[in-house]
Amino acid sequence: MSTDTEHVEESETSPSLLETWSDWYHIPILGAVMLFMFWVRTQAYDQFVTDDGSPALAGVDSWYQWRTIEWTAENYPNTMPYEVWSGFPEGTYVGQFGTLFDQIIVTVAMIVGLGDPSPETVYAVALLMIPAMAALVAIPVFYMGRRLGGTLGGLISIAILALAPGTFLTRSTVGQLDHHVGEVLFMAIAVVAMMAALRSGERGKPVYELIVDRDWNALRAPTIYSVLAGVAMMLYIWVWPAAIVLVGILGVFFAIQLCLDYLRGVSPDHIAFVGAISLGVTALTTMLLIEQSGFNVTSFSYLQPFTALLVAAGCVFMAWLAREWNNRDLDRRYYPVAIGGIVAAILLVMWLTLPGLYNTLIGNLTSRLLPLNPGTGTLTIAEAQPPDNFRDHVRSEFGMAFYTMLAGLALLVARPFRDREFRAEYTLILVWSLFLISMTATQVRFTYYLVLAVAVVNAVFIADVVEIFNLDIRGGIDAVRGIETYQVIVLFLVVILLFAPLLPPIAADDSTSWEQANSTGPSYDATMVWEGSNEWLANNTPEPGNWGEHENADQLDYFGTYQIPEDGDYDYPEGSYGVMSWWDYGHLITTQGERIPHANPFQQNAPSASAFLTAESEERGELVLDTIAAGENPADRSNEELESMAENASHEEMRYVMIDYEMAGGKFSAITAWSGPNYEHYVTPSGHEDGEPVNINDYQNGTIPYYDTMQSQLYFDDADGLEHYRTVHENTDAGTATIVAAAQVFVPGAIQGQAAQELQQLGYQEGDVIYYQDGEFAAPGEGRPSIRVQQMGFQQIQRIQQNPTQQLLGARSAAAVKTFERVEGATLTGTVDDEAGVLGNDTTAAVEVELETNAGRTFNYTQETEVADDGSFELTVPYATNDELGVEDGYTDSAVEATGEYNVTVGEPGETGYEAQTAVPETAVVEGDTVTVDGFEQTELEDSNESADGNETDGGNETDGGDQTDDGNETDTGSADGNQTDGGNQTGNETGSDGAEPEDN
C-alpha cells in the first residue's frame, strides 16, 4: 500500500518539476552565458593594474573617460558641465562624456567604497563595469530573440552574442574604458521596450475615441508600456546624446508602419498612440537634460527633445490624416504618396527657414546612417571610415551568422504570407536591422551595434527553420525518435552555419572571442609613447595660470566646476597657456600631462592645428598662433588676412608644441586635409605642379615643401634657423620616426620578359621611375608618379633596399615624441669694425651653438643674417646657454642644454672674417632682451661643408638607400602610398578620434 502511495506521489510531483524546468530552464542558461561573457572580457585584468596604482588603459578615449569618471567621483553626483582643461583658449563642452554612463560607474564605486571610495576603488570598479555591462546586454538580447523566435530563438541570440569576436568584444573588454558598451546596452533596452509597447498597442487597440471617453482601463496597458519605452529611450540618450540616431530610425519605422496599417485596413491609431506617448515622454524627459542651446548632436541640446517631439507629432498627424482620408473616401493607395510629399515639403521649409537644423539632421543622416557624404572629420578617423571590403569585414566579425541574419530578415518579411500574424515589432526589427547594416557600411565602428541585429534576427532564422522542417526538438524522447534523417541534416547544417566559424577547431586560434579577449592589454602605441613626454610636461613646466610672474593656478583646479560660458569661450586667467599638437593627442596631454591642449579628439580646433603644423615659414606659424589668440580660425587665410585678424590677440597663447613620429610621417596626409593646400603639394618637388610626374634627379637634387613646414622644421631640424622655438625635451623610449621618399625604378635585370619589353617599348631607360595609369604601365610623363613620401618602419625600409625595382631616395629620423617651447628669443646685436676691409656687400653674420638633449644626443643650432653696410647685424635666437630659470620662476626647466657659448662669425665660410663668442642667459630668451656681442677677432672662418640639399637627418644618421641587391624580388607597390588616415583614437581605437569624441562627430 505504501508503495502504491509513493508511486502516486511521484507521478503527481514529476510533471510539476518538468513543467517548472520547461518554463524556467532558460534562466540558468542565460546566467551561465552572462558569466561566460564577463569571464572572457576580464581575462586580462592584471595587465591593467600597475604597481604604482597609475591607470593603464587601452586607447586614447579611455584616458579621457577616466578623467570624467574621476571628476564625477570628486563631485558626485554631478557630471562635468564644462571642460577648461582642453580646447585652449576656448575650453570645451564635453557632451557625451560625463553622462549617465559615468554616474552608473561612480554610483557602483560609491556602494563598494561605502560612500567614500578611494581612487583605486573607483579605478577597479571602472575597469570591471565595462565587461559587466557587456554581459548585461545578453538580457535584452534574449528577450528580443524570444519575442521573435521563442525561447530557443532567445538562447540562440545570446549564444551568438557571447561567441562573436570582433568590434563588440574588443570594445567591451577590461581596460576599454569607453561609453560604447553603454550605448549598446541601452540601445538594446530601448528597442526591446519599444517592441513590448508596440505589441501592447496591437492587443489593446487604443483609438482616439477611447481617449475622448477617458477609458483608462482599455488604455492602461498600452500607456504604461509606451511610457516605459519613452523612458528607456531617454536613458539611451542620457548615456550618449547622439542616440537621437535611434529616434530617427523610429521615425522612419512609424512612417512605414502607419502606412502599412492603413493600406491593410487597420486603424493607424493603435501604433500612432504608442509612438505619440513613447516619443512624447522622451521629448519631455530629455528637456530636463538640456545643457546647451542650439541643435548640437553630441550635446544635450534642443535637438534631442525637438527630434523626439517631431516624431511624436508626426504619429498624431498621420493618424489624423488617415481619418480625414477615410472621411473624404480617397483611395488608400495614395496615402503613402501624400505622406512622402508632406515629409519632402517639411524638409524644404526647414532648409529655407532653419538651415542650421536642416544641415545638422541631413549631415548626420549622410555621415552616420547612410554611406553618402562623409566629411573631412570623418575621413580622418580610422574607425569612422567605411570598411575596405564590407563582405570581408562582416565575415570576420560574425562568420556566417551575418548571412543567416539576412535570411532571417527575408523570413521575417515572409511571415505574414505564411499564415503568421502581421506584427509591428517585425517591421521595427526589419527597419532597425537595415539601418544598422547601413551604419556599419558607413562607419566601421558601428559594427558594435550591428552585433545586436545579427544576434536577434538569427532567432527568426532558427525559429522559422524549425517550423518549416517540423523539427520538434522539445517534444521529449518520442519526438526525438520521430525525427527524420533530412531533419537531422538540416539541424546539423544550421548549427555549423551559425557557430562553426566562431568555435575551434574550425575558427583560427586567434579569432575566437576568448583568444581575442585574452590578447588585449594596455595601449602601447600613442598612450604609452606619449606618457614619458607628458610626465615631463607635468613636472617641468609651470602650472597653467602660473606662467611668467603670474600666480593664478588656483583658478584652474583640475577637478573644479566651470559653468558653460554664455559666449561659448572661457575667459582664462593671466598666466594660462596652451599646448599645440594634433587632435589625436589632446586627451593624453590633458590626462597624463595635466596641461591644456589646443586641439583634442572632439576634433575641436583641428583646422587651426593643421594651419600651424603645415605653415611653410616661421612668420606664418607665428601669425597662425596670434590669430588663434585673437579668437579667430586661421585655416586657409592669407598672411595679410592673418595679420589683420591677429591684431586683437590676447594673453591666451600657445607656449608648447608637441610632435610625434606619426604626425611627422603617416598622419601628415590627414593633417593636410583640414587646411589647404592638399597633401600632394607638400610631397611634390619644387618646380613641379602638384601631381606632375617627377624623376629621380628631380627628387634628389630638389626639395619638397614638406621640409619647410613648421612641423618638419621643429621635429627634424630642432628649430634650426627659427627665432622663437626651441627643443626642450625628447622621448626616445619607443623608437624613432623615419620619413622616406621611395620610388619604383625600371631595372631590366630585375624586370624581365614581357614586362621589360613593354617598358622598353614605352620608352623607358634603365633607372627611370615607373609610372602607372589605371593599374597599367604608362609612358614616361603620363599618369601618377610612383614616388611617395611617408613614415616607414625599419623593416619596410629594408624591403625597399633589398628590392632591385625600388630605390630609397632619402630618409630622416627623429625621436618618438619631441616637445618644443615658444619663446620671445634673445636678440643678438653686434658691430664689426672692419679695419682690414675683408667684408663685402653681401656679407653674412652667423651664430652656432651646440646643444645636448636629455637622451644624450647633440645637435647644432645655427642662424644667419645679412650684415649692414656699417658692419652691424641683428638676429634672434631661442636657445640659452644657461638654465638659470625653472618651474618655480614660472618658466620651463628645459631638458636640452647648451654645451658651450654661441660662436658668432661675420664673413663667408672658408674666407677671412671675424669671430666671437657670447653667452645668452635664459632671462634674455624668455623676456626678449638684447645681448650685445663684442670682442670680435679677425680669423680664417671654417667651412661648414653642409650637404647640397641641406636636409641632413637629425643627429647625422642619414639612411643610405643606395645599396641595393639584385635578388629578383618583385616590385612592392603597396607600401608607400602616403595617403594614410588619422588612426590615433583606435581601440583597436576613437582615435577617432568617436567629437564629442572623434568617432562620434
Side-chain angles (χ1 to χ4, degrees):
M1 183 69 176
S2 59
T3 305
D4 294 339
T5 304
E6 290 175 359
H7 282 297
V8 171
E9 290 176 352
E10 181 179 350
S11 64
E12 290 177 351
T13 304
S14 297
S16 177
L17 292 175
L18 290 175
E19 289 174 2
T20 301
W21 171 250
S22 177
D23 291 338
W24 299 101
Y25 74 94
H26 59 279
I27 298 298
I29 296 177
L30 175 60
V33 169
M34 293 174 64
L35 285 174
F36 171 78
M37 293 177 67
F38 183 79
W39 168 77
V40 162
R41 287 161 171 78
T42 56
Q43 291 179 91
Y45 178 83
D46 291 343
Q47 298 186 43
F48 294 93
V49 180
T50 59
D51 294 336
D52 60 1
S54 60
L57 297 167
V60 171
D61 289 337
S62 295
W63 281 86
Y64 195 74
Q65 195 79 61
W66 171 238
R67 154 108 173 114
T68 58
I69 289 171
E70 273 193 304
W71 194 99
T72 301
E74 290 285 334
N75 298 273
Y76 187 79
N78 300 314
T79 56
M80 185 185 294
Y82 197 75
E83 172 67 282
V84 302
W85 284 80
S86 191
F88 189 87
E90 303 94 8
T92 185
Y93 171 76
V94 296
Q96 60 190 348
F97 286 92
T99 66
L100 178 63
F101 178 80
D102 295 45
Q103 289 172 314
I104 291 173
I105 292 175
V106 175
T107 298
V108 174
M110 287 286 178
I111 296 171
V112 173
L114 301 177
D116 187 23
S118 65
E120 292 77 15
T121 298
V122 176
Y123 180 64
V125 169
L127 289 179
L128 294 174
M129 280 298 292
I130 303 303
M133 287 187 182
L136 288 173
V137 174
I139 297 175
V141 164
F142 170 78
Y143 284 102
M144 279 193 280
R146 192 183 195 190
R147 297 186 67 86
L148 298 173
T151 301
L152 176 62
L155 294 177
I156 292 294
S157 295
I158 60 174
I160 292 174
L161 180 74
L163 295 175
T167 305
F168 175 63
L169 174 71
T170 57
R171 300 271 180 160
S172 58
T173 54
V174 65
Q176 290 289 348
L177 191 56
D178 212 335
H179 52 75
H180 301 306
V181 66
E183 296 173 39
V184 177
L185 173 60
F186 282 91
M187 173 185 265
I189 292 172
V191 172
V192 74
M194 184 59 72
M195 292 173 70
L198 292 171
R199 190 62 183 147
S200 178
E202 288 177 323
R203 287 171 173 165
K205 294 182 171 51
V207 293
Y208 175 71
E209 288 75 14
L210 292 176
I211 299 174
V212 172
D213 295 339
R214 298 183 181 182
D215 188 351
W216 303 123
N217 289 330
L219 297 174
R220 181 180 293 110
T223 301
I224 292 174
Y225 279 103
S226 298
V227 168
L228 291 175
V231 171
M233 190 68 232
M234 179 274 293
L235 293 175
Y236 178 33
I237 292 173
W238 196 357
V239 167
W240 186 49
I244 57 166
V245 66
L246 183 56
V247 176
I249 293 173
L250 291 176
V252 174
F253 156 71
F254 280 114
I256 293 173
Q257 184 62 43
L258 293 176
C259 287
L260 288 174
D261 282 348
Y262 186 67
L263 291 174
R264 294 190 303 121
V266 176
S267 172
D269 286 9
H270 313 329
I271 301 303
F273 178 88
V274 174
I277 296 297
S278 61
L279 274 302
V281 169
T282 300
L284 290 174
T285 51
T286 53
M287 287 178 65
L288 303 175
L289 302 176
I290 293 176
E291 295 179 341
Q292 267 195 332
S293 59
F295 293 91
N296 193 323
V297 174
T298 54
S299 306
F300 292 118
S301 63
Y302 299 148
L303 185 62
Q304 287 84 8
F306 175 81
T307 307
L309 186 61
L310 194 64
V311 175
C315 291
V316 174
F317 173 78
M318 288 185 67
W320 171 83
L321 183 62
R323 287 174 174 267
E324 292 298 313
W325 210 267
N326 281 338
N327 292 338
R328 288 166 174 74
D329 200 24
L330 298 176
D331 192 331
R332 289 176 179 267
R333 291 175 298 176
Y334 297 116
Y335 176 79
V337 177
I339 294 298
I342 292 171
V343 171
I346 291 173
L347 290 175
L348 177 61
V349 172
M350 189 182 297
W351 176 64
L352 293 173
T353 60
L354 298 170
L357 177 60
Y358 174 85
N359 291 333
T360 297
L361 294 176
I362 300 302
N364 278 273
L365 174 68
T366 57
S367 65
R368 293 176 187 269
L369 296 177
L370 301 173
L372 297 176
N373 185 32
T376 298
T378 300
L379 290 176
T380 56
I381 305 171
E383 63 180 14
Q385 297 184 52
D388 292 334
N389 185 304
F390 183 76
R391 286 182 298 178
D392 290 346
H393 175 66
V394 294
R395 181 69 177 270
S396 66
E397 290 275 339
F398 311 114
M400 292 303 295
F402 176 78
Y403 297 100
T404 54
M405 178 202 71
L406 297 181
L409 291 175
L411 291 169
L412 200 59
V413 172
R415 276 190 173 183
F417 303 100
R418 293 191 292 111
D419 297 326
R420 294 288 292 268
E421 186 179 4
F422 190 101
R423 290 161 60 167
E425 57 187 325
Y426 295 167
T427 310
L428 172 63
I429 295 300
L430 279 166
V431 172
W432 174 64
S433 299
L434 291 175
F435 268 111
L436 293 187
I437 293 171
S438 179
M439 288 168 64
T440 302
T442 304
Q443 296 188 24
V444 67
R445 71 186 182 94
F446 286 134
T447 309
Y448 60 71
Y449 277 141
L450 183 57
V451 71
L452 294 176
V454 171
V456 168
V457 178
N458 267 293
V460 177
F461 176 74
I462 286 293
D464 286 15
V465 167
V466 167
E467 180 183 345
I468 292 170
F469 289 95
N470 297 315
L471 299 175
D472 184 5
I473 58 177
R474 293 187 57 191
I477 190 65
D478 292 334
V480 171
R481 289 171 177 167
I483 293 179
E484 300 288 341
T485 303
Y486 81 91
Q487 293 174 318
V488 174
I489 295 173
V490 168
L491 187 61
F492 175 76
L493 291 177
V494 168
V495 172
I496 289 294
L497 276 174
L498 285 177
F499 299 114
L502 308 178
L503 294 167
I506 297 179
D509 289 340
D510 60 350
S511 65
T512 60
S513 59
W514 48 90
E515 288 292 342
Q516 285 194 14
N518 190 46
S519 63
T520 190
S523 174
Y524 288 103
D525 45 18
T527 58
M528 295 299 106
V529 168
W530 278 69
E531 190 170 34
S533 294
N534 284 326
E535 182 180 351
W536 178 90
L537 194 71
N539 296 326
N540 297 277
T541 63
E543 294 182 52
N546 283 357
W547 177 267
E549 299 178 356
H550 302 286
E551 295 183 355
N552 295 320
D554 58 343
Q555 298 182 37
L556 291 172
D557 182 3
Y558 189 66
F559 292 112
T561 300
Y562 307 91
Q563 299 305 317
I564 301 174
E566 293 184 3
D567 61 356
D569 292 346
Y570 182 74
D571 185 15
Y572 285 88
E574 295 277 353
S576 304
Y577 59 87
V579 179
M580 172 63 72
S581 188
W582 190 228
W583 65 257
D584 285 22
Y585 309 107
H587 289 342
L588 297 179
I589 294 170
T590 297
T591 57
Q592 294 178 344
E594 294 192 11
R595 295 299 180 262
I596 312 175
H598 173 61
N600 52 44
F602 306 133
Q603 294 190 321
Q604 181 187 14
N605 296 325
S608 50
S610 171
F612 173 78
L613 295 169
T614 61
E616 293 181 48
S617 68
E618 183 180 21
E619 176 191 10
R620 181 171 177 82
E622 286 289 278
L623 287 173
V624 167
L625 295 188
D626 289 340
T627 301
I628 293 171
E632 302 287 345
N633 181 6
D636 301 323
R637 301 284 188 173
S638 66
N639 282 7
E640 292 74 18
E641 290 174 312
L642 293 177
E643 288 178 0
S644 176
M645 291 189 293
E647 292 178 354
N648 298 321
S650 69
H651 64 275
E652 299 170 324
E653 299 186 61
M654 302 298 152
R655 293 293 183 185
Y656 300 94
V657 180
M658 301 182 77
I659 300 173
D660 79 333
Y661 68 102
E662 289 189 338
M663 291 169 61
K667 290 187 178 183
F668 186 68
S669 60
I671 293 174
T672 64
W674 289 88
S675 63
N678 61 23
Y679 174 76
E680 291 295 334
H681 163 79
Y682 295 98
V683 296
T684 300
S686 302
H688 292 75
E689 296 295 330
D690 292 356
E692 179 184 348
V694 295
N695 58 50
I696 293 176
N697 291 332
D698 292 331
Y699 221 108
Q700 290 178 322
N701 298 332
T703 186
I704 56 176
Y706 172 81
Y707 294 133
D708 296 326
T709 63
M710 288 297 294
Q711 177 170 277
S712 178
Q713 290 188 75
L714 291 171
Y715 182 74
F716 288 116
D717 300 334
D718 288 302
D720 189 31
L722 302 185
E723 297 182 343
H724 303 293
Y725 298 86
R726 62 180 182 178
T727 306
V728 291
H729 181 263
E730 66 179 9
N731 177 9
T732 60
D733 293 341
T736 61
T738 303
I739 304 300
V740 175
Q744 292 177 224
V745 181
F746 174 40
V747 182
I751 301 179
Q752 302 178 3
Q754 183 63 36
Q757 294 180 3
E758 183 179 345
L759 288 171
Q760 291 170 343
Q761 291 172 357
L762 288 171
Y764 280 94
Q765 299 178 357
E766 183 172 358
D768 286 345
V769 175
I770 300 174
Y771 300 104
Y772 290 93
Q773 189 169 26
D774 299 327
E776 303 290 338
F777 291 131
E782 296 179 5
R784 185 182 178 91
S786 61
I787 291 178
R788 295 290 182 268
V789 177
Q790 81 174 83
Q791 177 265 335
M792 291 184 179
F794 295 113
Q795 291 182 345
Q796 290 173 290
I797 294 172
Q798 290 176 350
R799 285 199 297 268
I800 291 175
Q801 291 175 323
Q802 295 169 2
N803 195 325
T805 65
Q806 291 188 321
Q807 180 169 340
L808 190 65
L809 302 182
R812 310 184 78 193
S813 298
V817 185
K818 284 189 178 183
T819 303
F820 309 90
E821 182 183 16
R822 186 188 183 202
V823 294
E824 291 294 327
T827 300
L828 304 186
T829 65
T831 302
V832 174
D833 185 6
D834 188 22
E835 295 179 354
V838 298
L839 303 183
N841 293 330
D842 299 323
T843 302
T844 60
V847 298
E848 183 175 22
V849 64
E850 184 183 68
L851 301 119
E852 184 174 2
T853 72
N854 56 289
R857 178 178 63 88
T858 59
F859 64 93
N860 293 333
Y861 170 83
T862 62
Q863 195 185 155
E864 62 180 34
T865 187
E866 290 187 4
V867 177
D869 293 339
D870 63 355
S872 65
F873 66 88
E874 179 179 297
L875 46 74
T876 302
V877 298
Y879 286 99
T881 56
N882 64 27
D883 55 355
E884 59 184 336
L885 298 179
V887 176
E888 64 278 1
D889 304 299
Y891 297 103
T892 308
D893 187 5
S894 177
V896 177
E897 298 181 355
T899 60
E901 296 185 334
Y902 275 86
N903 189 56
V904 186
T905 60
V906 178
E908 302 307 317
E911 300 178 4
T912 301
Y914 298 90
E915 186 173 26
Q917 283 74 42
T918 186
V920 176
E922 181 80 359
T923 53
V925 169
V926 298
E927 296 176 6
D929 293 342
T930 298
V931 176
T932 301
V933 183
D934 50 24
F936 282 99
E937 296 181 359
Q938 185 174 326
T939 184
E940 190 75 17
L941 300 181
E942 194 174 315
D943 194 342
S944 61
N945 288 321
E946 291 188 350
S947 63
D949 63 4
N951 289 327
E952 305 99 349
T953 60
D954 205 353
N957 298 321
E958 188 166 355
T959 302
D960 182 6
D963 297 330
Q964 301 179 10
T965 59
D966 189 11
D967 62 358
N969 289 345
E970 294 181 356
T971 302
D972 181 5
T973 62
S975 61
D977 63 3
N979 294 321
Q980 297 179 359
T981 55
D982 201 348
N985 300 312
Q986 302 178 23
T987 49
N989 191 297
E990 285 48 43
T991 190
S993 49
D994 149 14
E997 333 170 53
E999 67 271 28
D1000 294 327
N1001 261 349

